Amino acid sequence: MTVLLNNSAFRKNICGLGPVSKALGTLSAATIAAFNIAGGEVLITNLWVKITTSSTTNGGTIKVNNVPTAGNTMDIVAALDIGTSDSVAGTVIGVDRTAATAAAFLVGGRTDLMAVVTTGVVNVVGASSVNGAATIYALWVPLVDGATLVAA
């Protein structure tokens, strides 16, 4: 049988390169470097987190920011409480771009982010009360020739 569709090529045409992933370990660390951006701006087209160890502590939040080598730190995804309503292993946390300011995390569902980030680091910022672990994933497109996004 002839294969008419290459899944990897199709995903790259629709969403960009990747997915690039970073196991975050325990989310209680204040700041965890997830991705390094080099060579200029990239567009993170899709972003999601998958819980690998259940988070069951009240009040624990995570958010994502870009800390550029030059310029202001920018929140890419606003904080979400992942502990109060127990996020169990296997839970996928996507993003909700309908938020008034930065996109917000949303349990399940959408992953389309469309955030421009520049040379520097993309961090996951956790709270000390989070007791679970997760992996973060990103699909991306270089906006400047030679720009890259890799796991930190």
mmCIF file of all heavy atoms in Angstrom, residues 66-119:
data_model
loop_
_atom_site.group_PDB
_atom_site.id
_atom_site.type_symbol
_atom_site.label_atom_id
_atom_site.label_comp_id
_atom_site.label_asym_id
_atom_site.label_seq_id
_atom_site.Cartn_x
_atom_site.Cartn_y
_atom_site.Cartn_z
ATOM 1 N N ASN A 66 9.399 34.396 29.131
ATOM 2 C CA ASN A 66 10.588 34.532 28.286
ATOM 3 C C ASN A 66 11.490 35.562 28.941
ATOM 4 O O ASN A 66 11.060 36.687 29.181
ATOM 5 C CB ASN A 66 10.173 34.966 26.880
ATOM 6 C CG ASN A 66 11.345 35.234 25.937
ATOM 7 O OD1 ASN A 66 11.282 36.129 25.122
ATOM 8 N ND2 ASN A 66 12.402 34.461 26.003
ATOM 9 N N VAL A 67 12.723 35.158 29.244
ATOM 10 C CA VAL A 67 13.709 36.073 29.798
ATOM 11 C C VAL A 67 14.741 36.305 28.692
ATOM 12 O O VAL A 67 15.619 35.470 28.468
ATOM 13 C CB VAL A 67 14.371 35.498 31.067
ATOM 14 C CG1 VAL A 67 15.391 36.474 31.621
ATOM 15 C CG2 VAL A 67 13.325 35.155 32.110
ATOM 16 N N PRO A 68 14.609 37.405 27.953
ATOM 17 C CA PRO A 68 15.510 37.655 26.830
ATOM 18 C C PRO A 68 16.880 38.133 27.295
ATOM 19 O O PRO A 68 17.016 38.644 28.409
ATOM 20 C CB PRO A 68 14.790 38.748 26.038
ATOM 21 C CG PRO A 68 13.965 39.459 27.038
ATOM 22 C CD PRO A 68 13.591 38.436 28.087
ATOM 23 N N THR A 69 17.889 37.973 26.439
ATOM 24 C CA THR A 69 19.218 38.478 26.779
ATOM 25 C C THR A 69 19.229 40.003 26.761
ATOM 26 O O THR A 69 20.054 40.616 27.424
ATOM 27 C CB THR A 69 20.277 37.928 25.803
ATOM 28 O OG1 THR A 69 19.868 38.206 24.467
ATOM 29 C CG2 THR A 69 20.459 36.434 25.980
ATOM 30 N N ALA A 70 18.313 40.625 26.007
ATOM 31 C CA ALA A 70 18.140 42.079 26.012
ATOM 32 C C ALA A 70 16.635 42.352 25.952
ATOM 33 O O ALA A 70 15.934 41.771 25.143
ATOM 34 C CB ALA A 70 18.838 42.713 24.817
ATOM 35 N N GLY A 71 16.171 43.212 26.830
ATOM 36 C CA GLY A 71 14.743 43.530 26.851
ATOM 37 C C GLY A 71 14.085 43.068 28.138
ATOM 38 O O GLY A 71 14.728 42.538 29.041
ATOM 39 N N ASN A 72 12.775 43.243 28.197
ATOM 40 C CA ASN A 72 12.007 42.932 29.395
ATOM 41 C C ASN A 72 11.566 41.473 29.432
ATOM 42 O O ASN A 72 11.241 40.898 28.397
ATOM 43 C CB ASN A 72 10.742 43.801 29.462
ATOM 44 C CG ASN A 72 11.067 45.265 29.630
ATOM 45 O OD1 ASN A 72 12.070 45.627 30.234
ATOM 46 N ND2 ASN A 72 10.228 46.118 29.083
ATOM 47 N N THR A 73 11.510 40.923 30.645
ATOM 48 C CA THR A 73 10.928 39.597 30.839
ATOM 49 C C THR A 73 9.442 39.694 30.546
ATOM 50 O O THR A 73 8.788 40.662 30.925
ATOM 51 C CB THR A 73 11.146 39.126 32.289
ATOM 52 O OG1 THR A 73 12.562 38.991 32.492
ATOM 53 C CG2 THR A 73 10.466 37.802 32.563
ATOM 54 N N MET A 74 8.914 38.687 29.825
ATOM 55 C CA MET A 74 7.516 38.713 29.408
ATOM 56 C C MET A 74 6.843 37.400 29.781
ATOM 57 O O MET A 74 7.386 36.328 29.498
ATOM 58 C CB MET A 74 7.459 38.909 27.892
ATOM 59 C CG MET A 74 6.080 38.788 27.294
ATOM 60 S SD MET A 74 6.086 38.926 25.487
ATOM 61 C CE MET A 74 6.855 37.381 25.005
ATOM 62 N N ASP A 75 5.692 37.477 30.438
ATOM 63 C CA ASP A 75 4.908 36.270 30.677
ATOM 64 C C ASP A 75 4.306 35.812 29.363
ATOM 65 O O ASP A 75 3.670 36.603 28.660
ATOM 66 C CB ASP A 75 3.793 36.522 31.697
ATOM 67 C CG ASP A 75 4.313 36.575 33.120
ATOM 68 O OD1 ASP A 75 5.480 36.191 33.349
ATOM 69 O OD2 ASP A 75 3.549 36.987 34.004
ATOM 70 N N ILE A 76 4.505 34.548 29.027
ATOM 71 C CA ILE A 76 3.926 33.962 27.814
ATOM 72 C C ILE A 76 2.609 33.294 28.156
ATOM 73 O O ILE A 76 1.643 33.387 27.419
ATOM 74 C CB ILE A 76 4.889 32.935 27.193
ATOM 75 C CG1 ILE A 76 6.212 33.587 26.836
ATOM 76 C CG2 ILE A 76 4.260 32.277 25.971
ATOM 77 C CD1 ILE A 76 7.277 32.590 26.480
ATOM 78 N N VAL A 77 2.585 32.593 29.294
ATOM 79 C CA VAL A 77 1.372 31.936 29.772
ATOM 80 C C VAL A 77 1.213 32.282 31.246
ATOM 81 O O VAL A 77 2.124 32.067 32.047
ATOM 82 C CB VAL A 77 1.429 30.398 29.581
ATOM 83 C CG1 VAL A 77 0.131 29.753 30.027
ATOM 84 C CG2 VAL A 77 1.736 30.027 28.139
ATOM 85 N N ALA A 78 0.058 32.831 31.612
ATOM 86 C CA ALA A 78 -0.218 33.234 32.985
ATOM 87 C C ALA A 78 -0.327 32.013 33.903
ATOM 88 O O ALA A 78 -0.562 30.891 33.450
ATOM 89 C CB ALA A 78 -1.511 34.052 33.032
ATOM 90 N N ALA A 79 -0.185 32.231 35.179
ATOM 91 C CA ALA A 79 -0.168 31.156 36.168
ATOM 92 C C ALA A 79 -1.496 30.399 36.245
ATOM 93 O O ALA A 79 -2.563 30.984 36.108
ATOM 94 C CB ALA A 79 0.175 31.718 37.544
ATOM 95 N N LEU A 80 -1.388 29.084 36.451
ATOM 96 C CA LEU A 80 -2.541 28.216 36.651
ATOM 97 C C LEU A 80 -2.319 27.411 37.914
ATOM 98 O O LEU A 80 -1.241 26.858 38.123
ATOM 99 C CB LEU A 80 -2.722 27.246 35.469
ATOM 100 C CG LEU A 80 -3.780 26.147 35.678
ATOM 101 C CD1 LEU A 80 -5.185 26.736 35.626
ATOM 102 C CD2 LEU A 80 -3.629 25.038 34.658
ATOM 103 N N ASP A 81 -3.333 27.340 38.749
ATOM 104 C CA ASP A 81 -3.297 26.505 39.950
ATOM 105 C C ASP A 81 -3.481 25.058 39.514
ATOM 106 O O ASP A 81 -4.526 24.681 39.004
ATOM 107 C CB ASP A 81 -4.422 26.932 40.893
ATOM 108 C CG ASP A 81 -4.458 26.112 42.179
ATOM 109 O OD1 ASP A 81 -3.871 25.013 42.228
ATOM 110 O OD2 ASP A 81 -5.092 26.577 43.132
ATOM 111 N N ILE A 82 -2.445 24.244 39.701
ATOM 112 C CA ILE A 82 -2.546 22.839 39.285
ATOM 113 C C ILE A 82 -2.653 21.887 40.474
ATOM 114 O O ILE A 82 -2.692 20.677 40.275
ATOM 115 C CB ILE A 82 -1.372 22.407 38.385
ATOM 116 C CG1 ILE A 82 -0.045 22.484 39.137
ATOM 117 C CG2 ILE A 82 -1.353 23.228 37.116
ATOM 118 C CD1 ILE A 82 1.092 21.806 38.425
ATOM 119 N N GLY A 83 -2.690 22.436 41.691
ATOM 120 C CA GLY A 83 -2.723 21.573 42.859
ATOM 121 C C GLY A 83 -4.055 21.487 43.564
ATOM 122 O O GLY A 83 -4.422 20.445 44.076
ATOM 123 N N THR A 84 -4.804 22.578 43.619
ATOM 124 C CA THR A 84 -6.046 22.594 44.387
ATOM 125 C C THR A 84 -7.019 21.533 43.909
ATOM 126 O O THR A 84 -7.658 20.851 44.690
ATOM 127 C CB THR A 84 -6.702 23.984 44.336
ATOM 128 O OG1 THR A 84 -5.779 24.929 44.880
ATOM 129 C CG2 THR A 84 -7.977 24.030 45.135
ATOM 130 N N SER A 85 -7.133 21.367 42.599
ATOM 131 C CA SER A 85 -8.035 20.354 42.032
ATOM 132 C C SER A 85 -7.243 19.179 41.487
ATOM 133 O O SER A 85 -7.527 18.663 40.412
ATOM 134 C CB SER A 85 -8.895 20.969 40.919
ATOM 135 O OG SER A 85 -9.730 21.951 41.444
ATOM 136 N N ASP A 86 -6.211 18.760 42.177
ATOM 137 C CA ASP A 86 -5.367 17.615 41.825
ATOM 138 C C ASP A 86 -5.234 17.369 40.327
ATOM 139 O O ASP A 86 -6.171 16.937 39.660
ATOM 140 C CB ASP A 86 -5.882 16.331 42.482
ATOM 141 C CG ASP A 86 -5.767 16.367 43.995
ATOM 142 O OD1 ASP A 86 -5.342 17.408 44.533
ATOM 143 O OD2 ASP A 86 -6.094 15.366 44.624
ATOM 144 N N SER A 87 -4.053 17.636 39.792
ATOM 145 C CA SER A 87 -3.727 17.296 38.414
ATOM 146 C C SER A 87 -3.006 15.954 38.453
ATOM 147 O O SER A 87 -1.883 15.865 38.918
ATOM 148 C CB SER A 87 -2.829 18.364 37.787
ATOM 149 O OG SER A 87 -3.513 19.588 37.699
ATOM 150 N N VAL A 88 -3.672 14.903 38.008
ATOM 151 C CA VAL A 88 -3.113 13.553 38.110
ATOM 152 C C VAL A 88 -2.207 13.256 36.923
ATOM 153 O O VAL A 88 -2.303 13.885 35.873
ATOM 154 C CB VAL A 88 -4.222 12.483 38.226
ATOM 155 C CG1 VAL A 88 -5.056 12.695 39.474
ATOM 156 C CG2 VAL A 88 -5.101 12.482 36.994
ATOM 157 N N ALA A 89 -1.319 12.280 37.103
ATOM 158 C CA ALA A 89 -0.395 11.878 36.046
ATOM 159 C C ALA A 89 -1.172 11.574 34.772
ATOM 160 O O ALA A 89 -2.218 10.926 34.808
ATOM 161 C CB ALA A 89 0.409 10.671 36.492
ATOM 162 N N GLY A 90 -0.680 12.071 33.652
ATOM 163 C CA GLY A 90 -1.335 11.884 32.365
ATOM 164 C C GLY A 90 -2.188 13.067 31.944
ATOM 165 O O GLY A 90 -2.578 13.165 30.785
ATOM 166 N N THR A 91 -2.476 14.001 32.857
ATOM 167 C CA THR A 91 -3.268 15.186 32.530
ATOM 168 C C THR A 91 -2.495 16.072 31.556
ATOM 169 O O THR A 91 -1.312 16.337 31.764
ATOM 170 C CB THR A 91 -3.605 15.995 33.794
ATOM 171 O OG1 THR A 91 -4.370 15.184 34.674
ATOM 172 C CG2 THR A 91 -4.381 17.263 33.464
ATOM 173 N N VAL A 92 -3.151 16.519 30.499
ATOM 174 C CA VAL A 92 -2.557 17.454 29.552
ATOM 175 C C VAL A 92 -3.089 18.846 29.865
ATOM 176 O O VAL A 92 -4.288 19.046 30.030
ATOM 177 C CB VAL A 92 -2.904 17.072 28.098
ATOM 178 C CG1 VAL A 92 -2.430 18.138 27.129
ATOM 179 C CG2 VAL A 92 -2.305 15.716 27.757
ATOM 180 N N ILE A 93 -2.170 19.804 29.964
ATOM 181 C CA ILE A 93 -2.535 21.193 30.231
ATOM 182 C C ILE A 93 -2.148 22.001 29.005
ATOM 183 O O ILE A 93 -0.970 22.098 28.654
ATOM 184 C CB ILE A 93 -1.828 21.720 31.492
ATOM 185 C CG1 ILE A 93 -2.232 20.887 32.701
ATOM 186 C CG2 ILE A 93 -2.140 23.187 31.703
ATOM 187 C CD1 ILE A 93 -1.460 21.191 33.959
ATOM 188 N N GLY A 94 -3.161 22.552 28.335
ATOM 189 C CA GLY A 94 -2.938 23.362 27.144
ATOM 190 C C GLY A 94 -3.019 24.830 27.482
ATOM 191 O O GLY A 94 -2.837 25.227 28.634
ATOM 192 N N VAL A 95 -3.278 25.655 26.483
ATOM 193 C CA VAL A 95 -3.350 27.091 26.707
ATOM 194 C C VAL A 95 -4.677 27.654 26.204
ATOM 195 O O VAL A 95 -5.326 27.083 25.346
ATOM 196 C CB VAL A 95 -2.195 27.852 26.015
ATOM 197 C CG1 VAL A 95 -0.868 27.509 26.648
ATOM 198 C CG2 VAL A 95 -2.171 27.572 24.529
ATOM 199 N N ASP A 96 -5.048 28.774 26.778
ATOM 200 C CA ASP A 96 -6.265 29.481 26.394
ATOM 201 C C ASP A 96 -5.857 30.885 25.977
ATOM 202 O O ASP A 96 -5.480 31.694 26.819
ATOM 203 C CB ASP A 96 -7.230 29.514 27.579
ATOM 204 C CG ASP A 96 -8.503 30.293 27.289
ATOM 205 O OD1 ASP A 96 -8.702 30.698 26.132
ATOM 206 O OD2 ASP A 96 -9.290 30.477 28.228
ATOM 207 N N ARG A 97 -5.882 31.172 24.692
ATOM 208 C CA ARG A 97 -5.452 32.480 24.192
ATOM 209 C C ARG A 97 -6.515 33.549 24.367
ATOM 210 O O ARG A 97 -6.299 34.692 23.995
ATOM 211 C CB ARG A 97 -5.074 32.398 22.722
ATOM 212 C CG ARG A 97 -3.799 31.659 22.472
ATOM 213 C CD ARG A 97 -3.374 31.802 21.055
ATOM 214 N NE ARG A 97 -4.526 31.763 20.168
ATOM 215 C CZ ARG A 97 -4.471 31.948 18.879
ATOM 216 N NH1 ARG A 97 -3.343 32.184 18.298
ATOM 217 N NH2 ARG A 97 -5.567 31.892 18.131
ATOM 218 N N THR A 98 -7.661 33.228 24.924
ATOM 219 C CA THR A 98 -8.718 34.226 25.067
ATOM 220 C C THR A 98 -8.535 35.124 26.280
ATOM 221 O O THR A 98 -9.307 36.045 26.482
ATOM 222 C CB THR A 98 -10.107 33.549 25.151
ATOM 223 O OG1 THR A 98 -10.157 32.732 26.320
ATOM 224 C CG2 THR A 98 -10.373 32.710 23.914
ATOM 225 N N ALA A 99 -7.504 34.866 27.081
ATOM 226 C CA ALA A 99 -7.252 35.691 28.259
ATOM 227 C C ALA A 99 -6.967 37.130 27.826
ATOM 228 O O ALA A 99 -6.446 37.378 26.741
ATOM 229 C CB ALA A 99 -6.078 35.133 29.059
ATOM 230 N N ALA A 100 -7.293 38.082 28.699
ATOM 231 C CA ALA A 100 -7.154 39.500 28.368
ATOM 232 C C ALA A 100 -5.697 39.928 28.199
ATOM 233 O O ALA A 100 -5.394 40.786 27.381
ATOM 234 C CB ALA A 100 -7.814 40.348 29.449
ATOM 235 N N THR A 101 -4.777 39.338 28.947
ATOM 236 C CA THR A 101 -3.367 39.723 28.840
ATOM 237 C C THR A 101 -2.594 38.550 28.237
ATOM 238 O O THR A 101 -2.803 38.226 27.091
ATOM 239 C CB THR A 101 -2.816 40.136 30.212
ATOM 240 O OG1 THR A 101 -3.063 39.079 31.149
ATOM 241 C CG2 THR A 101 -3.487 41.397 30.719
ATOM 242 N N ALA A 102 -1.738 37.925 29.018
ATOM 243 C CA ALA A 102 -1.007 36.754 28.523
ATOM 244 C C ALA A 102 -1.967 35.578 28.401
ATOM 245 O O ALA A 102 -2.980 35.515 29.095
ATOM 246 C CB ALA A 102 0.123 36.397 29.489
ATOM 247 N N ALA A 103 -1.660 34.663 27.508
ATOM 248 C CA ALA A 103 -2.449 33.438 27.416
ATOM 249 C C ALA A 103 -2.450 32.766 28.784
ATOM 250 O O ALA A 103 -1.541 32.970 29.582
ATOM 251 C CB ALA A 103 -1.852 32.508 26.371
ATOM 252 N N ALA A 104 -3.455 31.960 29.064
ATOM 253 C CA ALA A 104 -3.551 31.273 30.351
ATOM 254 C C ALA A 104 -3.523 29.772 30.120
ATOM 255 O O ALA A 104 -3.931 29.295 29.059
ATOM 256 C CB ALA A 104 -4.851 31.665 31.053
ATOM 257 N N PHE A 105 -3.017 29.031 31.095
ATOM 258 C CA PHE A 105 -3.083 27.576 31.004
ATOM 259 C C PHE A 105 -4.529 27.126 31.166
ATOM 260 O O PHE A 105 -5.341 27.778 31.818
ATOM 261 C CB PHE A 105 -2.237 26.917 32.093
ATOM 262 C CG PHE A 105 -0.793 26.759 31.729
ATOM 263 C CD1 PHE A 105 0.199 27.317 32.517
ATOM 264 C CD2 PHE A 105 -0.412 26.034 30.615
ATOM 265 C CE1 PHE A 105 1.534 27.159 32.204
ATOM 266 C CE2 PHE A 105 0.916 25.867 30.284
ATOM 267 C CZ PHE A 105 1.890 26.435 31.083
ATOM 268 N N LEU A 106 -4.848 25.983 30.584
ATOM 269 C CA LEU A 106 -6.181 25.423 30.617
ATOM 270 C C LEU A 106 -6.046 23.911 30.643
ATOM 271 O O LEU A 106 -5.349 23.346 29.797
ATOM 272 C CB LEU A 106 -6.938 25.864 29.354
ATOM 273 C CG LEU A 106 -8.346 25.348 29.138
ATOM 274 C CD1 LEU A 106 -9.286 25.956 30.175
ATOM 275 C CD2 LEU A 106 -8.819 25.714 27.738
ATOM 276 N N VAL A 107 -6.655 23.246 31.592
ATOM 277 C CA VAL A 107 -6.556 21.791 31.668
ATOM 278 C C VAL A 107 -7.209 21.197 30.428
ATOM 279 O O VAL A 107 -8.364 21.476 30.121
ATOM 280 C CB VAL A 107 -7.198 21.240 32.954
ATOM 281 C CG1 VAL A 107 -7.194 19.720 32.950
ATOM 282 C CG2 VAL A 107 -6.461 21.768 34.179
ATOM 283 N N GLY A 108 -6.431 20.401 29.702
ATOM 284 C CA GLY A 108 -6.903 19.763 28.479
ATOM 285 C C GLY A 108 -6.999 20.745 27.327
ATOM 286 O O GLY A 108 -6.661 21.910 27.429
ATOM 287 N N GLY A 109 -7.418 20.228 26.201
ATOM 288 C CA GLY A 109 -7.800 21.081 25.092
ATOM 289 C C GLY A 109 -6.708 21.705 24.274
ATOM 290 O O GLY A 109 -5.756 21.066 23.903
ATOM 291 N N ARG A 110 -6.834 22.987 24.031
ATOM 292 C CA ARG A 110 -6.067 23.720 23.029
ATOM 293 C C ARG A 110 -4.579 23.779 23.346
ATOM 294 O O ARG A 110 -4.180 23.825 24.503
ATOM 295 C CB ARG A 110 -6.614 25.127 22.921
ATOM 296 C CG ARG A 110 -8.090 25.177 22.607
ATOM 297 C CD ARG A 110 -8.586 26.585 22.635
ATOM 298 N NE ARG A 110 -7.900 27.366 21.625
ATOM 299 C CZ ARG A 110 -8.495 27.879 20.562
ATOM 300 N NH1 ARG A 110 -9.771 27.716 20.386
ATOM 301 N NH2 ARG A 110 -7.813 28.579 19.691
ATOM 302 N N THR A 111 -3.789 23.880 22.275
ATOM 303 C CA THR A 111 -2.352 24.049 22.448
ATOM 304 C C THR A 111 -1.822 25.222 21.641
ATOM 305 O O THR A 111 -0.652 25.539 21.723
ATOM 306 C CB THR A 111 -1.584 22.784 22.007
ATOM 307 O OG1 THR A 111 -1.772 22.590 20.604
ATOM 308 C CG2 THR A 111 -1.998 21.567 22.790
ATOM 309 N N ASP A 112 -2.661 25.882 20.842
ATOM 310 C CA ASP A 112 -2.174 26.946 19.973
ATOM 311 C C ASP A 112 -1.851 28.205 20.775
ATOM 312 O O ASP A 112 -2.691 28.760 21.446
ATOM 313 C CB ASP A 112 -3.166 27.246 18.853
ATOM 314 C CG ASP A 112 -4.573 27.534 19.349
ATOM 315 O OD1 ASP A 112 -5.001 26.874 20.305
ATOM 316 O OD2 ASP A 112 -5.224 28.418 18.773
ATOM 317 N N LEU A 113 -0.594 28.622 20.712
ATOM 318 C CA LEU A 113 -0.135 29.741 21.519
ATOM 319 C C LEU A 113 0.184 30.964 20.658
ATOM 320 O O LEU A 113 -0.233 32.072 20.962
ATOM 321 C CB LEU A 113 1.098 29.327 22.322
ATOM 322 C CG LEU A 113 1.693 30.396 23.229
ATOM 323 C CD1 LEU A 113 0.688 30.840 24.282
ATOM 324 C CD2 LEU A 113 2.955 29.888 23.879
ATOM 325 N N MET A 114 0.973 30.779 19.611
ATOM 326 C CA MET A 114 1.375 31.857 18.705
ATOM 327 C C MET A 114 2.048 33.012 19.451
ATOM 328 O O MET A 114 1.648 34.166 19.340
ATOM 329 C CB MET A 114 0.188 32.369 17.891
ATOM 330 C CG MET A 114 -0.447 31.297 17.061
ATOM 331 S SD MET A 114 0.759 30.514 15.990
ATOM 332 C CE MET A 114 -0.218 30.172 14.570
ATOM 333 N N ALA A 115 3.093 32.685 20.219
ATOM 334 C CA ALA A 115 3.832 33.691 20.988
ATOM 335 C C ALA A 115 5.218 33.898 20.386
ATOM 336 O O ALA A 115 5.942 32.939 20.139
ATOM 337 C CB ALA A 115 3.967 33.254 22.448
ATOM 338 N N VAL A 116 5.579 35.152 20.149
ATOM 339 C CA VAL A 116 6.915 35.481 19.680
ATOM 340 C C VAL A 116 7.828 35.589 20.894
ATOM 341 O O VAL A 116 7.521 36.312 21.843
ATOM 342 C CB VAL A 116 6.919 36.814 18.894
ATOM 343 C CG1 VAL A 116 8.339 37.197 18.500
ATOM 344 C CG2 VAL A 116 6.027 36.713 17.678
ATOM 345 N N VAL A 117 8.928 34.840 20.859
ATOM 346 C CA VAL A 117 9.936 34.919 21.926
ATOM 347 C C VAL A 117 11.273 35.221 21.274
ATOM 348 O O VAL A 117 11.488 34.920 20.103
ATOM 349 C CB VAL A 117 10.001 33.624 22.773
ATOM 350 C CG1 VAL A 117 8.712 33.413 23.538
ATOM 351 C CG2 VAL A 117 10.305 32.411 21.922
ATOM 352 N N THR A 118 12.158 35.829 22.036
ATOM 353 C CA THR A 118 13.433 36.251 21.475
ATOM 354 C C THR A 118 14.594 35.571 22.186
ATOM 355 O O THR A 118 14.399 34.859 23.167
ATOM 356 C CB THR A 118 13.555 37.784 21.524
ATOM 357 O OG1 THR A 118 14.688 38.182 20.750
ATOM 358 C CG2 THR A 118 13.680 38.303 22.943
ATOM 359 N N THR A 119 15.783 35.805 21.674
ATOM 360 C CA THR A 119 17.000 35.199 22.186
ATOM 361 C C THR A 119 17.037 35.289 23.707
ATOM 362 O O THR A 119 16.873 36.363 24.277
ATOM 363 C CB THR A 119 18.235 35.897 21.584
ATOM 364 O OG1 THR A 119 18.156 35.795 20.161
ATOM 365 C CG2 THR A 119 19.516 35.271 22.077
#
